[in-house]
Amino acid sequence: MIQNASARVVRDFSGRWRVIVDPYEAGYRGFHGNPWPFGFFRDAEPRPGLAEYDFDRSELLEVPGDWNSQDPRLLYYEGTLWYQTRFRLEEQPGVRRFVHFGAANYHAMVWLDGKPLGEHEGGFTPFAFELPGAGTAGEHVLTVKVDNTRRREAVPTVSTDWWNYGGLTREVSLLEVPETFVREYTVGLDRPGRVRAQLVLDGPRLRQMVQLRIPQAGLEVSGETDDDGRLELVAEAQLERWTPAQPRRYRVEITSETDTIAETVGFRTVRALGTRILLNDEPIFLRGVSLHEESPFGPGRAWSEEHARTLLGWAVELGCNFVRLAHYPHNETMVRVAEELGLLVWAEIPVYWNIAWDHAPTLDCAKAQLGEMIARDRNRCAVILWSLSNEAPATEARQAFLSELAGHARVLDPTRLLTSALFARLDEDAETMVIDDPVGEHLDVMGCNEYLGWYYREPEEMDRIRWSSPYEKPLIMSELGAGAVAGRHGDESTPFTEEHQAHVYRKQIGMLRRIPFLAGLSPWILKDFRSPRRVLPGTQDGWNRKGLVSDRGLRKRAFGVLREWYQELAGQE
Ligand code: GCB
């Protein structure tokens, strides 16, 4: 992992890449299905005598971008697709070069000039491979095989409620760093008034003097790295805190003898106390909404700054101070824009529904994705919650898996809160919803997905429902909602009308007001999104319609209902 990769970019590979759709994996296994290494699409040039393929005359697709939304023939495509691009390098002494991928869904293998650079599993986290010898001067060919086949043991597994957008869904770029560089660093408040920074160098000169500066706060502190290139710096500092109302950020500069890196960082503390979440030691109620990483006007993965600004702009218009970036790590720009706009973030990994809890490699894969998410976003003060799972049925195997994952998260980042989106159960009295999932003991904050008034019970019944939990912990109602087709009107009792959705929201708000341990909510969902399991003709047509905003950007009535409550809550702060 290379921290703050966007600050190291010297070339952006965005643009049109040559592609070959390869459902039979001919390019990997050879035309006779021989096992690797007989595959040949990786080759920089076609092999003599093999006139069966030609990247240079193949079709083109935009990178970044999923393939499904770029070509109607690929809408449902799941399998292997090959990408290729050519580029030139100039000789530059004293640098190291990496090819960096924001994400590739789901499995990627990368070759430079026909030689393997590496591979990566997991569709939503970044990875980088170093070019041997910094890449020689001259022409190069970069070939990437991306496979989005769903697999039982993968994370996520075969069944989800979102589109399996495949491909190079985020930016691909060339990074350049000095031979010894600051590879990773964490800068934040470890208690009010005290900055703690940790960093690690990578390269041949691991012992160096390193300086940390925050010019706008007059902070300057330095120290020497140890033999492993590690250093911890601690300094008292009077810094204005980052809050949703005033998302103040500072420029932080780290300078070693061989490298310098800078970025914008906000400072805050966060913790849970009893049933409250405290931001900068003050209780905060999270007025949130969930969203998928899907482009604001239509299908396809969101990846650009403009996408992030539009989606998060709607959340701000709704009165939010919080977003749940469901159900996998969103792109880094999304998190950075949220931070700039004053939106707190719940970030999660795609441990979704019933994955292969018993399978050791599945746990390793979940840990790796968690680690990559934390490594990328550890300096984002907006991120306050790492979520480990979504609606995972309570079994012994799941319990072992999630407790291991929770322990891993605590080691990687002891400063943030852990949560999971849990199920609740209806008690025998038929009026009390109980959250007692055993994984609750490992969490700081309970999330809960409930669809009262939609999948379960009539909306009116919510007037009587109470909530309880044996855990003395804050609760975020991480999902609730109802489907509605924008522009379809009718009476409150007719599902899929805007009136019915608004009615469910009113009843939900009435019920939520009465939950004493409620610390926030993130209703499902900001915008209608593509899902192959939503097949109702004329109503869903491949879209989950629980959006407060339609796939064309139209606000539904429930948007106004929730905004009104959020305005009232904001007024009480
Ligand atoms: C859920 C899932 C979410 C679905 C949603 C729904 O509980 O967490 O991914 O999209 O319900 O619409 O049913």
Side-chain angles (χ1 to χ4, degrees):
M1 173 65 60
I2 298 177
Q3 199 89 52
N4 191 11
S6 56
R8 309 283 198 178
V9 172
V10 290
R11 182 148 342 148
D12 182 353
F13 289 129
S14 297
R16 288 148 76 76
W17 291 42
R18 294 286 171 186
V19 300
I20 298 177
V21 182
D22 185 16
Y24 289 7
E25 301 249 288
Y28 185 57
R29 296 180 196 285
F31 280 137
H32 299 107
N34 294 323
W36 174 255
F38 296 104
F40 45 80
F41 283 11
R42 71 194 163 112
D43 291 349
E45 306 301 336
R47 288 181 202 184
L50 252 180
E52 305 272 346
Y53 78 103
D54 183 354
F55 271 104
D56 292 336
R57 287 192 296 147
S58 295
E59 293 181 46
L60 295 155
L61 281 181
E62 289 289 338
V63 173
D66 62 89
W67 61 61
N68 315 72
S69 65
Q70 293 192 52
D71 181 339
R73 291 171 303 165
L74 298 177
L75 179 63
Y76 284 94
Y77 183 63
E78 296 185 314
T80 280
L81 187 143
W82 294 77
Y83 288 89
Q84 195 172 83
T85 193
R86 292 176 184 274
F87 65 100
R88 258 196 92 74
L89 283 180
E90 306 302 331
E91 180 96 42
Q92 175 129 23
V95 301
R96 294 167 68 182
R97 287 170 169 146
F98 294 81
V99 201
H100 182 269
F101 296 82
N105 189 37
Y106 172 83
H107 182 261
M109 300 180 82
V110 183
W111 293 267
L112 182 72
D113 307 325
K115 296 191 192 67
L117 276 187
E119 59 186 286
H120 181 263
E121 179 175 356
F124 304 95
T125 42
F127 53 97
F129 302 121
E130 184 160 8
L131 306 194
T136 45
E139 283 288 333
H140 294 280
V141 183
L142 183 64
T143 307
V144 188
K145 172 186 185 293
V146 184
D147 181 1
N148 73 335
T149 306
R150 286 172 294 123
R151 287 187 299 112
R152 173 77 192 103
E153 320 73 43
V155 182
T157 181
V158 285
S159 193
T160 68
D161 186 25
W162 67 82
W163 210 266
N164 182 21
Y165 291 117
L168 296 175
T169 50
R170 297 181 189 160
E171 78 297 329
V172 183
S173 46
L174 185 74
L175 313 185
E176 222 168 70
V177 293
E179 270 172 343
T180 303
F181 72 107
V182 183
R183 187 175 189 113
E184 286 187 50
Y185 54 92
T186 316
V187 185
L189 288 183
D190 69 344
R191 63 164 169 71
R194 193 170 68 185
V195 173
R196 183 179 295 268
Q198 284 152 332
L199 58 92
V200 58
L201 302 180
D202 183 314
R205 274 192 57 197
L206 291 178
R207 259 196 182 275
Q208 294 195 22
M209 286 303 293
V210 181
Q211 198 181 51
L212 174 90
R213 297 197 327 127
I214 308 180
Q216 291 144 319
L219 183 143
E220 200 170 312
V221 53
S222 54
E224 191 180 13
T225 51
D226 65 16
D227 290 340
D228 297 325
R230 293 181 184 279
L231 175 65
E232 180 167 89
L233 294 167
V234 180
E236 303 294 321
Q238 289 314 314
L239 294 160
E240 262 176 60
R241 274 356 131 58
W242 182 99
T243 66
Q246 268 180 336
R248 172 78 160 99
R249 297 176 304 154
Y250 291 85
R251 184 180 157 86
V252 172
E253 298 165 2
I254 299 173
T255 312
S256 78
E257 291 161 35
T258 52
D259 188 21
T260 174
I261 180 93
E263 76 168 298
T264 316
V265 174
F267 294 91
R268 54 99 188 106
T269 59
V270 67
R271 65 193 169 103
L273 183 66
T275 58
R276 301 270 72 102
I277 294 172
L278 305 186
L279 186 74
N280 298 318
D281 286 330
E282 309 250 354
I284 183 160
F285 187 85
L286 304 176
R287 308 184 306 270
V289 72
S290 299
L291 60 143
H292 266 294
E293 189 193 48
E294 198 173 72
S295 79
F297 302 106
R301 278 266 164 259
W303 55 268
S304 69
E305 183 171 338
E306 190 189 336
H307 291 151
R309 288 198 183 278
T310 305
L311 291 166
L312 298 173
W314 291 342
V316 170
E317 180 190 330
L318 187 61
C320 293
N321 60 10
F322 168 61
V323 282
R324 174 182 178 216
L325 302 182
H327 276 304
Y328 36 74
H330 286 210
N331 63 77
E332 193 171 351
T333 306
M334 191 81 97
V335 185
R336 286 181 183 267
V337 172
E339 185 160 295
E340 180 197 319
L341 297 177
L343 292 165
L344 291 156
V345 170
W346 158 317
E348 70 188 73
I349 47 170
V351 174
Y352 183 88
W353 292 351
N354 215 0
I355 70 167
W357 309 112
D358 280 326
H359 190 61
T362 302
L363 177 59
D364 291 342
C365 179
K367 279 181 165 175
Q369 294 190 43
L370 178 75
E372 288 163 353
M373 171 175 77
I374 292 177
R376 191 194 71 181
D377 289 343
R378 58 186 331 139
N379 291 314
R380 298 281 68 80
C381 69
V383 178
I384 52 169
L385 290 149
W386 300 128
S387 177
L388 303 177
S389 63
N390 182 79
E391 296 183 353
T395 60
E396 263 176 45
R398 186 227 55 178
Q399 190 65 8
F401 185 107
L402 289 184
S403 66
E404 172 92 21
L405 204 55
H408 190 58
R410 300 254 182 233
V411 171
L412 296 176
D413 181 5
T415 71
R416 286 181 177 80
L417 305 172
L418 288 191
T419 192
S420 272
L422 310 174
F423 286 122
R425 64 176 175 84
L426 192 61
D427 213 1
E428 280 145 25
D429 67 4
E431 292 197 349
T432 312
M433 296 289 289
V434 185
I435 309 173
D436 57 2
D437 185 314
V439 86
E441 68 178 279
H442 297 292
L443 307 176
D444 303 302
V445 174
M446 301 178 284
C448 179
N449 296 356
E450 53 92 356
Y451 281 90
L452 293 166
W454 183 252
Y455 293 128
Y456 318 98
R457 323 276 290 202
E458 292 303 316
E460 290 67 32
E461 291 179 76
M462 280 188 268
D463 295 347
R464 294 196 307 275
I465 298 238
R466 289 181 305 273
W467 285 76
S468 85
S469 172
Y471 302 113
E472 260 285 298
K473 295 186 179 181
L475 166 67
I476 296 174
M477 212 58 99
S478 38
E479 287 181 33
L480 57 99
V485 179
R488 184 177 295 176
H489 295 287
D491 65 69
E492 285 178 349
S493 58
T494 310
F496 286 111
T497 63
E498 289 200 27
E499 285 71 15
H500 179 264
Q501 188 191 36
H503 181 56
V504 170
Y505 267 81
R506 276 192 214 97
K507 291 293 175 191
Q508 281 280 358
I509 291 168
M511 179 185 73
L512 295 170
R513 284 177 188 274
R514 291 183 283 107
I515 306 178
F517 53 105
L518 190 73
L521 64 153
S522 52
W524 195 255
I525 185 170
L526 181 65
K527 183 193 82 87
D528 290 351
F529 62 96
R530 268 257 179 219
S531 171
R533 61 170 62 240
R534 307 291 168 173
V535 293
L536 197 59
T539 296
Q540 295 177 313
D541 303 314
W543 291 83
N544 184 315
R545 297 285 181 201
K546 296 193 187 71
L548 293 167
V549 176
S550 79
D551 56 305
R552 298 288 148 95
L554 298 171
R555 280 58 160 176
K556 303 180 196 173
R557 285 195 176 195
F559 185 97
V561 173
L562 185 61
R563 183 176 53 190
E564 207 174 299
W565 188 37
Y566 282 175
Q567 282 169 347
E568 179 194 324
L569 288 168
Q572 291 162 3
E573 278 175 0

